[in-house]
Amino acid sequence: MFEELKPHLAELRKRLAISVGSIIVLFFIMFAFWNPILNWMIAPLIEVLPEGSSVIFTKVQEPFFTAIKVAFFSGFIAALPIIFWQLWLFVAPGLYENEKKMVVPFVVGATTMFLMGSAFCYYVVIPFGYEFLINFGAQLFTALPSIGDYVGFFTKLLLGFGLAFELPVITFFLASMGLVTDRTMIDFFRYAIVVIFLLSALLTPPDLITQFLMAGPMILLYGASILIAKKVNPEVVETTNEK
């Protein structure tokens, strides 16, 4: 059995090596621009900070490691098309010939949906979430958020929303392969709601507003995914019967 897995493990190592290599190369490129990228990251926080507050660092090494975090995150985002391409190439040997030709729609669709999820987080969730959290204690305390903590939380949120918005893309391709049906997703809906709210609680600040700002779009995306599966799967059934 292990001998049968060897080719798959070798292929997995190859795809991972290319993906990680692309992130490393882009990390060094993005490191040259970490300052303007960081300014873009903290812009929503600066907008909601009350007068007299500012972003600070509390450890000597914090600015340097923050720059590394910013460059790594930016390199990862820039490498997304390559990562999705390598993911497709890894699963491609198990697909039909007509399915293998869908690599471009998959890479473009997955990258676009990830960026849409990140944009929704940046322009809607982060301003609402941080305005609520900072203003909640502004009358008693002075807000001095740490840049390292903020960047870590910022990247976590953007990654969470980006991955959440991949649901329609994943559903489309699973339905195209006949692995998912609309009936399956409808039957799983009640459990999906629980999973969505658990993920929202883990990935967002501890307040109901931002949790619902994540859970709401995810529920809508799940509903859209049901429609996608219903639209795509009948075509797969006909193709499978012809084969």
Side-chain angles (χ1 to χ4, degrees), residues 146-163:
S146 165
I147 186 60
D149 291 341
Y150 173 79
V151 168
F153 198 70
F154 176 93
T155 55
K156 177 184 174 183
L157 273 178
L158 258 68
L159 285 173
F161 273 86
L163 292 174

Side-chain angles (χ1 to χ4, degrees), residues 22 24-25 32 65 165 205 212 224 228 232 241:
S22 64
I24 292 174
V25 171
F65 285 110
F165 271 60
F212 274 97
I228 290 171
V232 173
N241 290 336

Side-chain angles (χ1 to χ4, degrees), residues 7 9 11 14-15 17 26 33 40 48 57-58 81 130 157 159 164 179-180 199 216 218 242:
L9 293 175
E11 182 69 13
K14 177 182 177 181
R15 301 307 167 194
L26 288 166
F33 305 99
W40 173 80
V48 300
F57 65 91
T58 58
Y130 272 91
L157 273 178
L159 285 173
L179 300 176
V180 169
L199 288 175
M218 288 181 69
E242 291 175 4

Side-chain angles (χ1 to χ4, degrees), residues 211-229:
Q211 288 177 18
F212 274 97
L213 283 173
M214 183 174 194
M218 288 181 69
I219 293 172
L220 292 177
L221 287 169
Y222 193 90
S225 299
I226 293 175
L227 297 177
I228 290 171

Side-chain angles (χ1 to χ4, degrees), residues 175-227:
S176 299
M177 299 171 195
L179 300 176
V180 169
T181 66
D182 59 313
R183 176 49 53 189
T184 303
M185 298 191 69
I186 291 172
D187 292 341
F188 189 72
F189 183 73
R190 67 183 70 179
Y191 305 105
I193 296 296
V194 176
V195 173
I196 286 170
F197 275 96
L198 285 175
L199 288 175
S200 300
L202 291 172
L203 295 175
T204 60
D207 68 276
L208 291 176
I209 296 176
T210 49
Q211 288 177 18
F212 274 97
L213 283 173
M214 183 174 194
M218 288 181 69
I219 293 172
L220 292 177
L221 287 169
Y222 193 90
S225 299
I226 293 175
L227 297 177

Side-chain angles (χ1 to χ4, degrees), residues 85-131:
W85 178 40
Q86 295 305 308
L87 175 62
W88 184 266
L89 291 178
F90 176 70
V91 301
L95 304 178
Y96 292 111
E97 287 301 322
N98 62 316
E99 294 170 345
K100 292 179 181 179
K101 298 176 182 178
M102 300 176 71
V103 56
V104 174
F106 173 76
V107 172
V108 174
T111 304
T112 301
M113 291 304 295
F114 190 98
L115 294 178
M116 286 179 62
S118 299
F120 178 80
C121 177
Y122 180 83
Y123 290 106
V124 178
V125 177
I126 290 177
F128 272 97
Y130 272 91
E131 183 175 16

